Amino acid sequence: MVNLDIQTMIFMTSLDAMLQVSMLIFLCFLVNQYRGIKTYTFGKIFTISSYFITFSKVFPVSATLITAGLFLLMGSCITCIAIAQFTDQKIKFHYFLIFNLLFICIQSYFVIFQDIFLFKTITQSVFQIAIFALSIYYLRSHSHKSFVGSARFMVSIMAGLILSLIARIIILIQNPPENLYVPTEINSASLLIIFVFTFLMTAGFIMMVCQRLYHDLHQAANTDVLTHLLNRRAMMHKLQKEINHFYRSDRPFAIILIDVDFFKRVNDVYGHDGGDTVLIHLAQILQTKMRHIDSASRWGGEEFLILLPDTTLYKAQEIAERLRSYIEVNPTQSNIQITISLGIAVIRQHGNSLESLITAADHALYEAKRTGRNRVVVAQS
């Protein structure tokens, strides 16, 4: 391996710094609705500053080792906090403060009383391993499903860093260098590994942000703002997929069209806030009382549509009646009592196309409202 001189190290550090910080600053301006992005940027600035302090020889050797080591550890701690913030997990900041103070005490002891470069380097590596392990814990324990792939990528990068640090400790114990500035193969290799892995870590974090942003935008485009159910556009897409699946596998499915009875009266008596409360209440009931294979959507105004895959007419009637009776006896938290009317249509029995099926369910709903409301009506064959 070719050993790198100090000038080359500084150049590589500067290049790495400009690339990472510029990408993160751009990301801060582009996406500012998530916690952790600005924190991660500050962490990388601390990490990069430690490189400059280490290889520029601005301070005396003893002060450089303590200062650079502290900046590097603080950078790792801040990026760990950023990962916890981004994944919406609880953080105990005083633990990180104690961790850094402990590091300062140990490093100061080895610099002032036991001037042994090997012990200083091993201490630095052990503390870094602990922080990377904690970051891996945060990445593996979060509940978000939108950026699982990029989180796994970051876990693999950090695991690689931990293995590299362990290997470095073993090599240093076997062949301890006199100081950090000697351009040995181990120092050159360590620097190259740090450059590559820290750049990949930043790339992984940016990937996590982009994946989460894409997921949230997709959710916003397909979710009703008030009820958090699927909107009409998303449900039409699901219905079309179900129709296509029916033609391939002949698997039956049903739809239920729901309308809140006398909803205009609710708005007149309780105002639009009361009307919104009713819609949210109904949506929550649909979400909790449906089967896991079913999908509910706000079809428009006070109308809702439920898709029941792999469901016969008898089963659809049973589900609809259970919903109707439950809503009848469970008012909203503000004690607004409502009832609903429901129209059922089943593929093949009431139509072979999406349009004919929805029309059949709509006619059944109209019949339920015409004949007294608060009832379930099946479409005519």
Side-chain angles (χ1 to χ4, degrees):
M1 179 183 290
V2 178
N3 296 327
L4 302 178
D5 58 23
I6 299 301
Q7 286 74 23
T8 306
M9 291 179 178
I10 293 174
F11 172 76
M12 292 178 65
T13 306
S14 303
L15 181 62
D16 187 61
M18 287 186 292
L19 286 172
Q20 292 191 50
V21 173
S22 60
M23 286 191 298
L24 289 166
I25 290 175
F26 176 74
L27 193 66
C28 287
F29 283 107
L30 186 66
V31 184
N32 56 13
Q33 66 264 44
Y34 303 131
R35 295 171 65 236
I37 299 177
K38 291 180 181 178
T39 309
Y40 195 93
T41 305
F42 281 118
K44 297 311 294 184
I45 291 172
F46 269 88
T47 303
I48 290 162
S49 299
S50 73
Y51 300 158
F52 282 110
I53 294 170
T54 302
F55 298 114
S56 61
K57 295 185 179 181
V58 174
F59 305 110
V61 175
S62 298
T64 296
L65 288 172
I66 295 177
T67 308
L70 179 61
F71 267 70
L72 183 61
L73 187 65
M74 285 179 64
S76 298
C77 287
I78 293 171
T79 53
C80 180
I81 291 170
I83 290 170
Q85 288 177 336
F86 184 76
T87 54
D88 299 322
Q89 299 184 68
K90 293 182 179 179
I91 313 162
K92 295 183 178 179
F93 291 98
H94 59 279
Y95 286 166
F96 287 95
L97 180 61
I98 294 170
F99 191 77
N100 281 276
L101 289 174
L102 180 62
F103 172 79
I104 293 173
C105 293
I106 294 174
Q107 283 291 77
S108 298
Y109 173 79
F110 284 128
V111 168
I112 298 171
F113 300 105
Q114 296 287 337
D115 192 15
I116 304 173
F117 174 73
L118 177 62
F119 291 160
K120 303 168 194 172
T121 308
I122 290 176
T123 302
Q124 179 77 54
S125 298
V126 169
F127 273 76
Q128 287 292 124
I129 288 171
I131 288 297
F132 288 137
L134 182 60
S135 298
I136 289 175
Y137 168 77
Y138 283 134
L139 287 167
R140 289 181 60 85
S141 60
H142 69 86
S143 58
H144 291 276
K145 296 181 180 179
S146 56
F147 49 85
V148 173
S150 50
R152 287 175 180 170
F153 174 76
M154 282 196 73
V155 167
S156 64
I157 295 301
M158 289 184 178
L161 262 173
I162 289 174
L163 292 175
S164 300
L165 288 169
I166 293 173
R168 183 170 186 249
I169 291 172
I170 295 171
I171 294 171
L172 285 173
I173 291 173
Q174 294 175 347
N175 300 291
E178 294 180 4
N179 61 68
L180 186 63
Y181 301 110
V182 177
T184 60
E185 289 190 358
I186 183 62
N187 283 342
S188 301
S190 299
L191 183 65
L192 286 171
I193 289 170
I194 288 172
F195 284 161
V196 172
F197 277 88
T198 53
F199 185 83
L200 290 176
M201 276 177 57
T202 301
F205 185 78
I206 293 173
M207 285 168 57
M208 283 204 309
V209 175
C210 292
Q211 283 191 334
R212 185 173 180 180
L213 180 62
Y214 172 80
H215 176 267
D216 290 351
L217 290 174
H218 184 267
Q219 284 288 98
N222 292 281
T223 306
D224 178 65
V225 176
L226 179 65
T227 62
H228 301 296
L229 298 177
L230 296 176
N231 58 24
R232 185 171 184 139
R233 172 181 171 274
M235 179 54 79
M236 286 293 289
H237 181 68
K238 268 187 171 290
L239 288 169
Q240 190 59 59
K241 286 177 66 176
E242 197 64 32
I243 284 279
N244 295 338
H245 191 270
F246 165 74
Y247 287 141
R248 291 195 305 270
S249 63
D250 202 35
R251 187 184 73 174
F253 71 91
I255 62 171
I256 302 175
L257 202 55
I258 301 172
D259 187 86
V260 180
D261 296 330
F262 302 110
F263 186 71
K264 185 178 183 300
R265 185 185 301 172
V266 172
N267 277 331
D268 292 340
V269 175
Y270 299 99
H272 289 289
D273 288 342
D276 289 347
T277 300
V278 166
L279 296 177
I280 294 169
H281 173 68
L282 178 54
Q284 290 172 342
I285 291 175
L286 295 181
Q287 287 176 317
T288 55
K289 296 301 177 181
M290 291 188 313
R291 302 170 301 177
H292 72 279
I293 61 172
D294 301 334
S295 301
S297 68
R298 186 180 179 190
W299 195 242
E302 69 273 22
E303 286 190 353
F304 296 80
L305 188 144
I306 304 176
L307 169 63
L308 306 172
D310 198 18
T311 303
T312 61
L313 176 58
Y314 175 79
K315 185 64 177 178
Q317 286 179 283
E318 183 183 290
I319 292 171
E321 182 57 36
R322 187 166 64 245
L323 285 172
R324 186 205 63 77
S325 59
Y326 183 87
I327 290 167
E328 184 181 18
V329 297
N330 285 277
T332 67
Q333 289 184 347
S334 52
N335 205 32
I336 302 175
Q337 185 71 52
I338 61 167
T339 59
I340 58 173
S341 299
L342 305 93
I344 300 175
V346 181
I347 191 68
R348 187 188 290 116
Q349 291 176 249
H350 305 116
N352 290 319
S353 67
L354 182 57
E355 292 76 14
S356 60
L357 195 65
I358 294 173
T359 300
D362 192 50
H363 287 165
L365 175 62
Y366 175 79
E367 186 65 18
K369 297 180 79 66
R370 189 186 68 82
T371 54
R373 295 181 170 84
N374 190 25
R375 63 188 61 205
V376 177
V377 172
V378 178
Q380 294 183 351
S381 302

